[in-house]
Amino acid sequence: MFTDEPLPHSAMGMAEVPARFGARFRPALLRHFLFLRRQGRPAAPYLAVWPEGVVLPDLTEGVTEPADDLAGVVLAEVMRHTCFVCNAWFEVIRAEVAIPVLGGNLAQHRIVSGCPACGSDSGASRIYGLALSPLP
């Protein structure tokens, strides 16, 4: 996870997310298994998302943190979605539940569902995630 050091090129799209959504959303890179890296696959950019109300760990360089600092963390991606009912556009932070290491932590997070623009539920709008922000 990155705090103040420069982000790798593959994670540049995540650089502004903490400023827009809050400090509990931090850029992270998921490094693939060794055999995948040998085939030239780069690390995948994600967001590390801590549950609300958790004291965030100090991730500055040189600080040794205990392993439980990742308690409750899920990995997420930033996506753009439109409401199927009113066509309002949103930037949505959607959890990556297919990663078994952190997928079980989703129960510790509040899921935002439904369209705040028209009030339709997530079944109709297809809007849901860990956080969302309207797009112009």
Side-chain angles (χ1 to χ4, degrees), residues 56-100:
L56 297 176
D58 179 6
L59 297 176
T60 55
E61 191 173 331
V63 175
T64 304
E65 298 291 337
D68 65 350
D69 278 346
L70 294 179
V73 169
V74 295
L75 293 178
E77 295 179 282
V78 179
M79 302 177 169
R80 292 179 178 217
H81 288 283
T82 185
C83 174
F84 281 28
V85 177
C86 71
N87 293 322
W89 279 91
F90 297 91
E91 185 173 44
V92 180
I93 296 179
R94 197 164 279 171
E96 174 57 75
V97 295
I99 300 171

Side-chain angles (χ1 to χ4, degrees), residues 15 18 23 30 32-33 40 45 53 82 93 106 113 121 129 134:
L30 179 62
H32 299 282
F33 295 106
T82 185
I93 296 179
L106 192 57
S113 63
D121 65 14

Side-chain angles (χ1 to χ4, degrees), residues 13-73:
M14 306 294 189
E16 297 298 320
V17 171
R20 288 194 317 272
F21 287 95
R24 68 187 188 97
F25 299 89
R26 296 184 181 174
L29 289 176
L30 179 62
R31 288 187 169 73
H32 299 282
F33 295 106
L34 182 60
F35 72 90
L36 292 176
R37 285 196 300 183
R38 273 190 250 145
Q39 295 176 2
R41 293 199 176 180
Y46 285 95
L47 291 173
V49 183
W50 276 261
E52 291 182 37
V54 171
V55 176
L56 297 176
D58 179 6
L59 297 176
T60 55
E61 191 173 331
V63 175
T64 304
E65 298 291 337
D68 65 350
D69 278 346
L70 294 179
V73 169

